[in-house]
Amino acid sequence: MTSIWLNIIGIGENGLNGLSKSSKECIENANIIFGSERHLQLANIKENGIKWPSPFSYEEVFKYKNKKVVVLASGDPFWFGVGSKLVKDLKSEEWRCLPNQSTFSLAASKLGWAIEKTECSAIHAKSVELLNPKIKNGRNAIILCKDFLQLIQVLDWLNSKEIESEKLILLSKLGSPQELVIDLSEDIIKDLKSKNTNLDPLALGIKLKKKSTHFNHLPGQKNEIFESDGNITKQPIRAITMSELQAFGNEVLWDIGAGSGTISVEWCLSNQDNISYAIEKRDDRVRYINKNIKKFGLKDRVVVMYGTFEESYKELPEPDAVFIGGGATDDLIRNVIGLLSRNGRLVVNGVTLETQQLIIDKQKKFGGKLKKIEISNSKIIGTKSIWEPSSPIVQWSYLK
């Protein structure tokens, strides 16, 4: 039986005073203790402490499997912490975790907010655009920031998106004697900037106004919100396509011929655990996909595969759903169906007569549903209005 060699201990700003007896014993008996410079100071670690390298990596921890190792982490190590990464490839008998109060819990307790109804995010080394799918209409948010500069970047981002808040609260060093909770105003922000005070670790509480949403949370984002050359799956077609792809959550999409990546974006916005692999062979459109990934804060969830499907598919995880928005061929469809697992979904949209005929033939061979989508929008001509039709789309939906 494997004995525990790794103890992951959550520590707060009150240092050793806030640790349980078991946590203190683990620290006292440890041969090696990993942590940030701040965590090592909080626990009064000197001789046997190892500071995390920069850029951050936890790989060195595994060099000491024959030692008693402690990793110090903020609050609850399994909530936006290093915990899950450390134990991913370990047996349950090799490690244990002794958590502490998370910063989210401390912040929510100070603000009087129900934590289950509060959006909790940590951006730290990530871009503020990560908040795009997180900030929801009328929902309070607690954002953990790397430093005061990043907090200012969040405030600038809120202004750029015209997201209005009832209140912005800075929460610094929660749980310590230096704890600070301040309602932010322009004058206070200027004062804090001028003093250059160390406020780390800190969080930002955001109480949103009810009508502050900067984009739709249902499938069918407006066309103009995307970066593109105009050649995108249009808003109503996207909504219909998503209804056929059926995102159930924590699923993988292959978006073949991704164009500007609009379907990949819609897929990932539909569920926070969905992942999409956007396959596109044109470098100009890959640039648009990357711009949209950044715009919607989906850096870790939309993976761009530059090239053809034939060049890419062996590197991809098994899909739950596949969308072919452009470049459908007989071989491509046949290969995709062969790679789909049972209950995998395939949706193909055809604009040209040739593609439409191809998917009609495939429906006859494999089954599934065919749909012809014809949409007209009103257009003003002088003092009158007419219907202006879009090119009809033939859509084939197949369940294996």
Side-chain angles (χ1 to χ4, degrees), residues 89-104:
D89 298 319
L90 297 180
K91 297 176 181 178
S92 59
E93 299 88 356
E94 293 183 78
W95 64 274
R96 69 172 170 173
C97 178
L98 298 167
N100 212 316
Q101 288 178 295
S102 71
T103 304
F104 296 117

Side-chain angles (χ1 to χ4, degrees), residues 2-27:
T2 308
S3 59
I4 292 172
W5 63 270
L6 174 62
N7 284 283
I8 307 167
I9 296 176
I11 189 168
E13 290 305 298
N14 51 358
L16 292 171
N17 292 332
L19 296 183
S20 66
K21 182 180 177 182
S22 296
S23 295
K24 290 177 182 177
E25 287 176 353
C26 286
I27 291 172

Side-chain angles (χ1 to χ4, degrees), residues 144-202:
L144 304 191
C145 300
K146 177 177 62 177
D147 50 31
F148 186 66
L149 175 61
Q150 190 176 56
L151 185 143
I152 295 299
Q153 290 173 347
V154 173
L155 297 181
D156 290 342
W157 177 82
L158 291 170
N159 288 331
S160 72
K161 298 295 181 182
E162 299 181 350
I163 300 173
E164 297 181 13
S165 59
E166 288 184 15
K167 188 183 286 188
L168 296 166
I169 309 100
L170 180 147
L171 305 106
S172 171
K173 300 182 185 295
L174 294 179
S176 77
Q178 295 80 36
E179 180 177 281
L180 197 62
V181 179
I182 309 174
D183 287 356
L184 289 175
S185 66
E186 288 187 17
D187 289 340
I188 289 175
I189 291 170
K190 287 179 182 176
D191 184 53
L192 291 170
K193 281 182 178 178
S194 65
K195 288 180 179 177
N196 198 27
T197 307
N198 180 16
L199 299 168
D200 308 340
L202 67 111

Side-chain angles (χ1 to χ4, degrees), residues 35-164:
S36 66
E37 185 175 0
R38 179 172 62 86
H39 289 145
L40 294 173
Q41 288 174 353
L42 286 169
N44 197 26
I45 305 302
K46 295 176 183 176
E47 291 84 4
N48 57 344
I50 298 179
K51 189 172 75 171
W52 292 123
S54 181
F56 176 77
S57 171
Y58 52 84
E59 294 302 323
E60 191 174 354
V61 171
F62 304 110
K63 295 178 182 177
Y64 298 94
K65 276 193 170 186
N66 59 339
K67 304 282 188 180
K68 292 181 179 179
V69 178
V70 162
V71 168
L72 297 175
S74 294
D76 185 344
F78 284 85
W79 199 356
F80 292 99
V82 73
S84 60
K85 296 181 178 67
L86 283 170
V87 306
K88 182 177 66 173
D89 298 319
L90 297 180
K91 297 176 181 178
S92 59
E93 299 88 356
E94 293 183 78
W95 64 274
R96 69 172 170 173
C97 178
L98 298 167
N100 212 316
Q101 288 178 295
S102 71
T103 304
F104 296 117
S105 297
L106 292 169
S109 298
K110 289 291 176 184
L111 299 171
W113 295 351
I115 198 165
E116 75 275 9
K117 296 181 180 179
T118 301
E119 186 66 41
C120 297
S121 294
I123 50 178
H124 294 137
K126 299 177 182 178
S127 168
V128 294
E129 278 82 10
L130 176 75
L131 298 176
N132 250 315
K134 303 286 187 181
I135 301 298
K136 295 181 173 64
N137 193 8
R139 189 176 172 95
N140 295 336
I142 297 172
I143 313 298
L144 304 191
C145 300
K146 177 177 62 177
D147 50 31
F148 186 66
L149 175 61
Q150 190 176 56
L151 185 143
I152 295 299
Q153 290 173 347
V154 173
L155 297 181
D156 290 342
W157 177 82
L158 291 170
N159 288 331
S160 72
K161 298 295 181 182
E162 299 181 350
I163 300 173
E164 297 181 13

Side-chain angles (χ1 to χ4, degrees), residues 237-246 321-324 333 336-337 340 343-350 355-356 358-373 393-400:
I237 305 299
R238 266 184 279 115
I240 295 170
T241 299
M242 284 299 299
S243 72
E244 292 296 334
L245 285 171
Q246 299 184 55
V322 178
F323 173 64
I324 304 175
I333 291 173
V336 167
I337 289 176
L340 275 175
N343 294 320
R345 290 97 65 195
L346 169 65
V347 176
V348 187
N349 286 356
T355 303
Q356 291 178 0
L358 171 66
I359 60 179
I360 289 170
D361 293 341
K362 291 300 177 187
Q363 190 270 341
K364 289 178 181 177
K365 181 176 181 179
F366 293 102
K369 297 185 297 181
L370 280 175
K371 188 186 284 102
K372 188 176 184 182
I373 308 166
I393 303 288
V394 173
Q395 184 179 84
W396 177 40
S397 304
Y398 168 75
L399 177 67
K400 188 169 181 179

